[in-house]
Amino acid sequence: MTEKVGVLGKKPQRRTGVERVVNAPLPTVYGKFQAVGYLDHDRGDEQVALVHGDIGTDEVLVRLHSECLTGDAFGSQHCECGDQLASALRAVVAEGAGVVVYLRGHEGRGIGLLGKLRAMALQAEGLDTVEANLALGFPVDARDYGVAAGILQDLGVRSVRLMSNNPRKREALVRHGVQVAEQVPLLIPPCENNITYLRTKRERLDHHLPHLDAVAHLS
């Protein structure tokens, strides 16, 4: 079977970047959003931005939320992801406008669901989250935020107030052309099951988690 070529005998160029595909109303328990669906032509992932209100262009309240099936859907206490997602959705509604970009393909800091579960099994044996990734031959953090910047730029956002404790998200957005006017803490009270994980994020991944100092009693 011959491959189709253009009128000049050249193969059609493969599309790159993000393409807006659909915009649909999405009422949620937090409030009303527009679910704006995108296709990431570089990785093949389907992405979605939840937009609330008239967001404007500057100092938009934004959360870049990495997909976490165990936390977002199952309520895992191994991490704080589900609570962070809920808090971010509530925050943009309380603000009156904002965006939560839900980043698929970011499971387990980019190593995939099965990779994350394997890492969690090693953590149950005593390794921390960084050591577990490395023991499995994975990067400590394989996430890329170029698609998030592309989505924000498509939405007309030039600068953000970024809900995140992770300095690397701020650096990545700036590197991709989106200014960060402010980094807004998104601090979730820890529990016995995630305190070690959170301390590792602070000590080895430079996350800003000052509230952990008040919970020294947790093991």
Side-chain angles (χ1 to χ4, degrees):
M1 183 176 178
T2 58
E3 186 174 5
K4 291 183 179 180
V5 296
V7 293
L8 298 179
K10 296 180 179 179
K11 294 180 182 180
Q13 289 187 337
R14 186 177 68 86
R15 295 194 63 169
T16 60
V18 293
E19 176 190 4
R20 188 191 298 207
V21 176
V22 63
N23 188 343
L26 184 70
T28 75
V29 295
Y30 308 102
K32 294 182 179 179
F33 291 84
Q34 289 291 318
V36 187
Y38 291 87
L39 179 59
D40 177 0
H41 287 285
D42 296 317
R43 297 176 59 92
D45 293 323
E46 296 174 334
Q47 305 286 3
V48 64
L50 299 185
V51 180
H52 178 76
D54 182 7
I55 60 174
T57 59
D58 295 307
E59 299 190 16
V60 180
L61 188 63
V62 166
R63 166 73 178 165
L64 308 182
H65 189 84
S66 294
E67 176 182 29
C68 177
L69 179 68
T70 50
D72 299 340
F74 302 151
S76 168
Q77 290 189 324
H78 182 269
C79 61
E80 81 279 42
C81 299
D83 287 335
Q84 283 191 319
L85 178 59
S87 294
L89 291 168
R90 284 194 293 265
V92 297
V93 171
E95 179 84 3
V99 182
V100 175
V101 181
Y102 193 85
L103 292 163
R104 304 186 67 215
H106 276 204
E107 189 79 54
R109 298 198 302 277
I111 67 174
L113 178 59
L114 295 183
K116 182 174 80 170
L117 293 176
R118 290 167 66 197
M120 288 169 61
L122 290 180
Q123 289 171 65
E125 296 175 3
L127 298 187
D128 68 31
T129 181
V130 170
E131 294 166 343
N133 275 34
L134 295 175
L136 292 168
F138 293 123
V140 173
D141 192 336
R143 291 173 293 181
D144 179 82
Y145 296 98
V147 65
I151 288 171
L152 292 173
Q153 289 161 347
D154 177 77
L155 293 171
V157 175
R158 293 183 303 202
S159 69
V160 302
R161 292 161 49 227
L162 181 65
M163 288 185 283
S164 178
N165 310 316
N166 183 356
R168 290 179 178 83
K169 287 186 180 180
R170 178 183 192 133
E171 294 162 4
L173 280 185
V174 172
R175 188 166 61 251
H176 288 287
V178 177
Q179 295 304 306
V180 179
E182 180 186 1
Q183 192 157 337
V184 180
L186 195 58
L187 304 177
I188 305 299
C191 65
E192 183 178 352
N193 292 313
N194 66 22
I195 186 64
T196 299
Y197 169 79
L198 293 174
R199 285 175 177 150
T200 300
K201 286 174 70 172
R202 181 172 72 170
E203 294 162 10
R204 303 197 64 179
L205 299 173
D206 300 323
H207 287 223
H208 186 61
L209 300 168
H211 66 311
L212 298 186
D213 292 333
V215 290
H217 63 282
L218 291 177
S219 59

